[in-house]
Amino acid sequence: NEVTCDKDTTFTFETEPTCELQECTGLNSDWNNMNTDASFPINYGTTVTVTCDTDYQLSGSNEVTCDKDTSFTFEDNAPACENLEEMDNEDEKSAMFSDETATAFLVLFYYLPGGCCTVLPHSTVLC
């Protein structure tokens, strides 16, 4: 749509130009268990705070901004809601294989003919 600025400081155009308000209509579908207290649709340029459902913890950015392509953008890492119960299970698994317990697993005994045994790593003791 072409608009011309005339000498008399008015504009000439075939079809009157219009502006369409860009709106974000909802949080991204991959942002499960995430909420905002804003009402949708949200206008372009508006920043809203996101939170997670009960039993979920937010990681990444806690603010998203409605972009001109009607998607949300964020400054740092994408927001995500992580299930606290699953996180606890992962922590338990990690604790099972901490440095302290890993050391205990590496102390292996090999019984050799002649009544000796080898303790790994690199030491021999009499049995």
Side-chain angles (χ1 to χ4, degrees):
N1 201 7
E2 190 172 303
V3 178
T4 305
C5 180
D6 296 329
K7 290 179 184 179
D8 66 355
T9 68
T10 61
F11 292 100
T12 304
F13 43 83
E14 287 182 30
T15 308
E16 184 173 358
T18 60
C19 293
E20 293 181 20
L21 182 62
Q22 299 298 312
E23 299 174 324
C24 296
T25 56
L27 293 175
N28 296 359
S29 60
D30 57 336
W31 291 348
N32 296 326
N33 308 99
M34 194 172 299
N35 305 295
T36 181
D37 59 358
S39 299
F40 288 96
I42 296 173
N43 295 337
Y44 163 66
T46 302
T47 299
V48 296
T49 301
V50 292
T51 58
C52 294
D53 291 342
T54 303
D55 297 329
Y56 288 83
Q57 179 177 330
L58 182 68
S59 65
S61 183
N62 70 334
E63 291 184 333
V64 294
T65 302
C66 181
D67 202 6
K68 62 184 172 191
D69 68 356
T70 69
S71 67
F72 283 100
T73 59
F74 38 85
E75 277 199 31
D76 297 316
N77 296 321
C81 291
E82 298 176 19
N83 186 309
L84 291 174
E85 184 176 311
E86 290 175 10
M87 290 172 62
D88 287 344
N89 289 341
E90 288 301 316
D91 288 344
E92 287 173 17
K93 290 177 188 174
S94 295
M96 288 175 56
F97 296 102
S98 69
D99 289 341
E100 293 169 11
T101 54
T103 303
F105 289 128
L106 292 176
V107 178
L108 301 175
F109 292 91
Y110 289 96
Y111 294 96
L112 302 174
C116 291
C117 59
T118 301
V119 180
L120 295 180
H122 314 299
S123 61
T124 301
V125 295
L126 293 174
C127 300

